Amino acid sequence: MSRSHKPADNLVRINGRVLFLAEDPALVLAQLEGTSLSITSAGKLRDNISTDEITPVTVMFSYDEKLGQYPYVGFETRGERPIGVDAIRCGGFAVTVAGKRYGKGSSRESSPLAELHAGIRLIIAESFEQIYQKNCDNLGILTSTNYSLIGNIEAGNPIPIEEFLRGRDELTCRIIRAGGLLPYARSHAWPPPDVQQGNTVAPRTLVEKILERHLHPQTCHREPGTGVFVSADWRFSHDYFTGMAAHFMHRAFGEPAALFQPDRVVAFHDHLVFAHQSTPHQLGDLLDGVAELEEGHHRFTRLYAVRSHEALQDGMGSEGISHAIMAERYALPGEIVVGTDSHTPHSGALGCLAFGVGATEMANSWVTGYVRCKVPETLRIEIDGLLPYAVTAKDIALHLLQRPDMRAGMGIGCVFEYGGSTVRSMAVDERATLTNMVAELGGFTGIVAPDEQTVAFLRDRREIEFRIEPWMTSDANARYRTRIRVEAEALSPMIAGPGDPGNGISITQLTAPVKIHIAYGGSCTGGKRSDFDAYHEVLRWGLEHGVRVAADTTLFLQFGTVDVYQYCADRGFLETFRQAGAVLLMPGCGACANCGPGQSVKAGQVTISAINRNYPGRSGPGQVWLASPYTVAASALQGRIVQFQ
């Protein structure tokens, strides 16, 4: 059960069984019991397999061989989860085969690392999410979209390495040949990063201009599709992955390593701070694993002089969610921000280039100052007109997600550049919802060109008088993959049905009442100041009309950062929330990461949530509907899904 690559003959030999992740759970179970299938007998393959299914957050407590027990334990098809602990390693599988958009969702490198430690050496799918495939490249797992390879593998035939390089950019090919990013990095020189002045005459998008100013000095090509290294102004990690990235860094560069500009490295204890209140973590005896991850995180912050945002003194929350704090306190227009979270594009609302990376990529960036990316194509999303009352950026995101072209993967790996009169009138908090949820759209990042709203945000939140430079916008004749136009007046409050953020419909399309047990307002997407303005507006209306949170519903409101909490306290919102019957929670990822209050604990529970994704198991075993803050609060008052009018 191994992959071997002989430089002399340039061939790859993969020895082991092929696992087809079929839609029929009986066929998956049959393979685990020893039956071998073909691409034909496997029938339809599961599409949209998320990293939450490959490695649920409740198994992500190691980054060594122990992680190999867990790949696909969250894989769900037709309501069943047929793959148990250690089933892949014990089954002798070396190849995984699936359908479209494999690895969507979180940027967690735990997923391909679990596959690697279980013996998986090659993953074949019709298409891959950009971050997931890059993580595979970095770890040395091969990927392909060529199903015809299966016959050769089953016959034991070696495969030319070039077969796995087709359609990949030159830099990625070199990394794949080296066996991963860190072996490649150790064999190359890394000149100190230096932000350069752009000098290209051809029309450019804003992201292309930012990339050009941050390119590795030896970069020759910079057209879309080209793999490049760029210097990062900010590099941040959170408690799930700081220890893993440090482990990779020390293994590659020694301990202690020489960090490049450690004052530009930020570490956040935000994802695990509510684990002690999380039902699966308590019942599953997982708190020791949580403690190991936290110790890995804190060991890094003790060893290196980096910026650190920790748990609150009473242990009941954190200073804030990593990407939310990056936007509130650090990121500036024109900069590059990278983080170990797929929602890093949150900061793109300020006009910077912000994108998620895996732990290997972060480890390399801590030492070299550089991260790898592919010069992306850009989609221009033009939103014009006045939004109807109680229709928000979250509704726009859910509208885009349900479009057939987006569900088919049109946005994979692209920049979503938002513009138009609607976006120009939005505050930065609302813009952040649009850029944040590019993660669900499969994009590389989202961005809004800086303008007077950006300047006002930086002045009000940070007391910075920022001057927008002339280059900080896309050129009039910049190239776009396509332009998508959205008429704001035609939009209505949206919800996304359980299982996928792309299951969007207008609330008016509900054919029967949907009773809810939990309403959750929080997360990076739903925990900003503008979101709490909406929660307060609805709950104040309820109190004025003698209506509180429904008796059989629990409403959780969780602040995204301590700054948001203080904002609400200063305006008297907290008393309104308490009188209405809401449960208030200090900042942390909590229920959004299935790690704290607000998660479901039974399969029969139904949640209406302001979080950004509702993949199976994402926020507990129950059914999760996604909605805007207005809809979450209004539904809490009624005990069923309703819009606020």
Side-chain angles (χ1 to χ4, degrees):
M1 187 172 62
S2 65
R3 163 195 164 193
S4 64
H5 168 45
K6 287 187 176 181
D9 57 14
N10 219 26
L11 297 176
V12 173
R13 292 173 174 83
I14 298 176
N15 303 314
R17 298 179 61 206
V18 178
L19 173 68
F20 295 91
L21 294 178
E23 275 199 354
D24 186 342
L27 292 177
V28 176
L29 190 59
Q31 294 175 88
L32 301 179
E33 294 172 345
T35 300
S36 294
L37 302 181
S38 67
I39 188 68
T40 302
S41 62
K44 182 166 175 48
L45 300 172
R46 253 291 311 274
D47 295 326
N48 299 306
I49 296 173
S50 72
T51 51
D52 281 281
E53 295 178 84
I54 300 171
T55 48
V57 293
T58 50
V59 307
M60 291 165 47
F61 301 120
S62 64
Y63 28 88
D64 56 18
E65 287 71 16
K66 292 193 295 289
L67 196 55
Q69 301 175 73
Y70 301 113
Y72 316 130
V73 294
F75 171 77
E76 183 173 315
T77 183
R78 297 181 183 174
E80 297 184 30
R81 295 188 177 183
I83 302 177
V85 174
D86 228 9
I88 304 307
R89 192 157 53 187
C90 293
F93 296 101
V95 181
T96 297
V97 183
K100 299 175 183 175
R101 295 193 68 179
Y102 187 83
K104 67 188 297 186
S106 166
S107 62
R108 64 187 66 163
E109 197 164 336
S110 303
S111 294
L113 189 61
E115 292 167 311
L116 181 69
H117 285 320
I120 300 299
R121 298 296 178 263
L122 168 64
I123 300 167
I124 301 174
E126 186 173 337
S127 60
F128 293 91
E129 292 293 286
Q130 174 258 336
I131 295 179
Y132 174 84
Q133 189 173 39
K134 189 166 75 164
N135 285 341
C136 286
D137 299 339
N138 291 339
L139 287 171
I141 295 180
L142 298 172
T143 60
S144 176
T145 58
N146 183 1
Y147 290 107
S148 69
L149 295 179
I150 297 169
N152 280 324
I153 294 167
E154 292 173 330
N157 297 329
I159 301 171
I161 186 67
E162 285 77 11
E163 183 62 49
F164 303 104
L165 308 179
R166 299 185 190 280
R168 313 303 297 278
D169 62 85
E170 181 183 342
L171 176 57
T172 298
C173 290
R174 296 202 300 268
I175 289 170
I176 292 173
R177 286 184 181 276
L181 175 63
L182 294 180
Y184 175 88
R186 287 197 303 268
S187 64
H188 286 74
W190 299 92
D194 180 28
V195 176
Q196 309 152 35
Q197 294 298 313
N199 54 15
T200 303
V201 176
R204 286 286 188 263
T205 65
L206 175 54
V207 162
E208 288 170 341
K209 292 179 182 181
I210 295 172
L211 285 173
E212 189 174 72
R213 282 168 151 69
H214 290 76
L215 284 173
H216 186 289
Q218 296 174 5
T219 302
C220 298
H221 304 289
R222 56 195 69 182
E223 296 304 307
T226 303
V228 296
F229 281 106
V230 293
S231 61
D233 297 284
W234 295 101
R235 295 151 285 156
F236 76 86
S237 64
H238 59 68
D239 41 10
Y240 260 116
F241 297 115
T242 304
M244 179 188 289
H247 173 74
F248 290 161
M249 178 179 70
H250 292 148
R251 194 168 61 180
F253 300 106
E255 181 180 353
L259 268 61
F260 178 79
Q261 293 185 343
D263 63 324
R264 287 279 177 152
V265 173
V266 194
F268 293 92
H269 186 190
D270 62 349
H271 276 59
L272 295 167
V273 288
F274 282 97
H276 60 287
Q277 295 187 48
S278 170
T279 299
H281 291 78
Q282 292 175 335
L283 298 181
D285 197 23
L286 303 176
L287 295 181
D288 287 345
V290 169
E292 287 186 31
L293 288 181
E294 291 177 325
E295 173 54 26
H297 174 87
H298 293 135
R299 184 174 184 273
F300 174 78
T301 60
R302 291 193 301 266
L303 189 58
Y304 299 103
V306 301
R307 299 173 187 251
S308 181
H309 292 272
E310 297 299 332
L312 300 177
Q313 287 188 348
D314 60 3
M316 300 301 291
S318 69
E319 292 182 56
I321 299 170
S322 51
H323 21 292
I325 288 186
M326 289 305 298
E328 284 187 352
R329 302 192 188 180
Y330 295 112
L332 289 173
E335 292 186 331
I336 290 184
V337 178
V338 295
T340 57
D341 197 290
S342 58
H343 293 113
T344 301
H346 190 103
S347 293
L350 290 169
C352 64
L353 170 55
F355 58 95
V357 298
T360 301
E361 197 84 62
M362 185 56 64
N364 182 62
S365 78
W366 281 342
V367 172
T368 69
Y370 289 95
V371 292
R372 177 172 69 102
C373 69
K374 183 185 293 186
V375 178
E377 292 185 287
T378 298
L379 302 179
R380 174 72 177 178
I381 314 295
E382 291 273 357
I383 310 170
D384 287 299
L386 293 175
L387 288 169
Y389 177 68
V391 174
T392 69
K394 181 65 172 288
D395 299 297
I396 295 173
L398 295 179
H399 167 78
L400 291 172
L401 278 158
Q402 60 81 42
R403 287 173 54 111
D405 50 6
M406 293 299 173
R407 290 178 61 84
M410 183 178 76
I412 292 177
C414 287
V415 174
F416 283 67
E417 180 183 286
Y418 291 99
S421 62
T422 309
V423 176
R424 288 194 297 272
S425 67
M426 282 182 177
V428 169
D429 276 356
E430 281 289 88
R431 294 176 181 184
T433 297
L434 296 178
T435 60
N436 177 298
M437 290 193 66
V438 166
E440 284 63 55
L441 289 157
F444 170 56
T445 192
I447 196 166
V448 179
D451 57 13
E452 64 278 0
Q453 296 277 9
T454 319
V455 172
F457 178 93
L458 293 172
R459 181 188 303 117
D460 296 343
R461 306 287 176 93
R462 298 194 220 163
E463 299 182 349
I464 293 174
E465 291 299 331
F466 187 85
R467 289 188 60 188
I468 298 172
E469 298 180 31
W471 67 268
M472 292 179 175
T473 187
S474 293
D475 295 329
N477 296 322
R479 293 171 299 178
Y480 295 102
R481 173 184 282 188
T482 191
R483 293 175 182 263
I484 294 173
R485 300 190 181 279
V486 177
E487 296 299 328
E489 290 93 339
L491 298 176
S492 60
M494 296 284 295
I495 49 177
D500 195 282
N503 295 336
I505 59 171
S506 169
I507 294 180
T508 59
Q509 293 177 274
L510 280 176
T511 57
V514 178
K515 176 180 172 56
I516 62 168
H517 306 91
I518 300 168
Y520 176 80
S523 80
C524 54
T525 311
K528 306 180 299 302
R529 294 187 186 190
S530 64
D531 304 314
F532 274 85
D533 288 338
Y535 302 135
H536 180 260
E537 183 178 346
V538 175
L539 297 179
R540 183 183 61 189
W541 176 93
L543 292 175
E544 291 172 350
H545 291 79
V547 181
R548 299 175 74 253
V549 173
D552 51 358
T553 300
T554 304
L555 169 62
F556 297 91
L557 295 179
Q558 187 162 27
F559 309 98
T561 68
V562 289
D563 291 344
V564 175
Y565 169 82
Q566 192 60 51
Y567 170 85
C568 293
D570 291 344
R571 282 154 183 76
F573 288 2
L574 302 183
E575 185 58 29
T576 300
F577 297 152
R578 293 187 181 104
Q579 288 183 21
V583 177
L584 302 183
L585 300 170
M586 292 304 287
C589 290
C592 184
N594 196 23
C595 194
Q599 66 196 153
S600 61
V601 296
K602 300 176 183 177
Q605 290 180 310
V606 177
T607 299
I608 185 80
S609 181
I611 65 177
N612 34 43
R613 52 181 58 143
N614 58 347
Y615 303 125
R618 174 72 187 186
S619 193
Q623 301 294 299
V624 178
W625 293 75
L626 301 181
S628 75
Y630 278 110
T631 299
V632 167
S635 300
L637 296 179
Q638 295 296 314
R640 59 185 175 87
I641 296 178
V642 296
Q643 69 184 78
F644 186 60
Q645 296 177 306

